[in-house]
Amino acid sequence: MRKELTESYGYIFEDELINEIEKVGHKINVAEGDVLIEYGQDVTHMPLLLDGAIKILRQDKEGDELLLYFLEIGDTCSMTMNCCIGKSKSEIKAIAEKDSVLFLIPVEYMSIWMKKYKSWTSFVFESYNNRFNELLEAID
């Protein structure tokens, strides 16, 4: 497992954080079309994508689904992070775009690692920034 985490996130996280991620998280495999989380569900884990692609959708006021973005290797879901930090229910639906491998981290570690690891803090803020910029580009 360490090899996969290091290959996908070693350029971002220091070895000590990789060790903690490996210790507290768990790996899952999902098939194309599997729903990972639905609107209104409790967010208990934050995903780190190791392989594959995940489609992130959100509902508009009329209930229609809008594609927000795709997660790829080395990504995490900024909308999930937002729910974790705000301790709110999921505002997104996540569907495996193809067979994928994820490493799930219990949400309680997000705030612990924000204080403990500069690389984690940078990763969280960079994820928000990247998704915000993608959304702005989509609007233009």
Side-chain angles (χ1 to χ4, degrees):
M1 179 77 298
R2 178 163 183 81
K3 182 181 180 212
E4 290 173 284
L5 284 169
T6 302
E7 286 175 359
S8 298
Y9 294 91
Y11 68 98
I12 301 171
F13 303 140
E14 55 269 82
D15 286 340
E16 188 178 326
L17 178 53
I18 296 280
N19 290 340
E20 285 197 49
I21 290 170
E22 184 178 27
K23 189 186 320 182
V24 303
H26 68 277
K27 179 178 154 181
I28 64 165
N29 296 299
V30 294
E32 179 180 336
D34 283 355
V35 176
L36 302 168
I37 194 161
E38 278 281 0
Y39 308 109
Q41 281 186 319
D42 287 329
V43 178
T44 59
H45 290 80
M46 195 196 75
L48 296 177
L49 190 61
L50 299 174
D51 191 29
I54 307 295
K55 180 171 37 177
I56 306 299
L57 305 164
R58 186 169 185 168
Q59 285 183 319
D60 66 12
K61 291 178 183 176
E62 288 78 39
D64 295 321
E65 289 186 326
L66 305 169
L67 174 66
L68 293 180
Y69 50 83
F70 289 92
L71 296 180
E72 296 176 327
I73 297 170
D75 282 344
T76 192
C77 183
S78 58
M79 293 296 291
T80 299
M81 283 189 207
N82 187 47
C83 291
C84 292
I85 291 169
K87 297 181 181 164
S88 60
K89 299 207 180 272
S90 175
E91 297 176 1
I92 57 112
K93 181 180 194 177
I95 302 171
E97 183 70 6
K98 56 184 177 180
D99 292 350
S100 300
V101 180
L102 297 103
F103 205 76
L104 301 180
I105 301 167
V107 297
E108 57 268 18
Y109 288 92
M110 283 198 55
S111 59
I112 294 168
W113 292 344
M114 289 281 285
K115 296 172 189 164
K116 190 172 180 181
Y117 296 106
K118 185 176 182 178
S119 65
W120 182 260
T121 304
S122 296
F123 179 66
V124 169
F125 286 117
E126 197 169 301
S127 293
Y128 279 124
N129 189 45
N130 289 343
R131 298 304 173 212
F132 181 73
N133 287 334
E134 287 174 8
L135 292 172
L136 285 179
E137 288 174 13
I139 294 170
D140 287 340

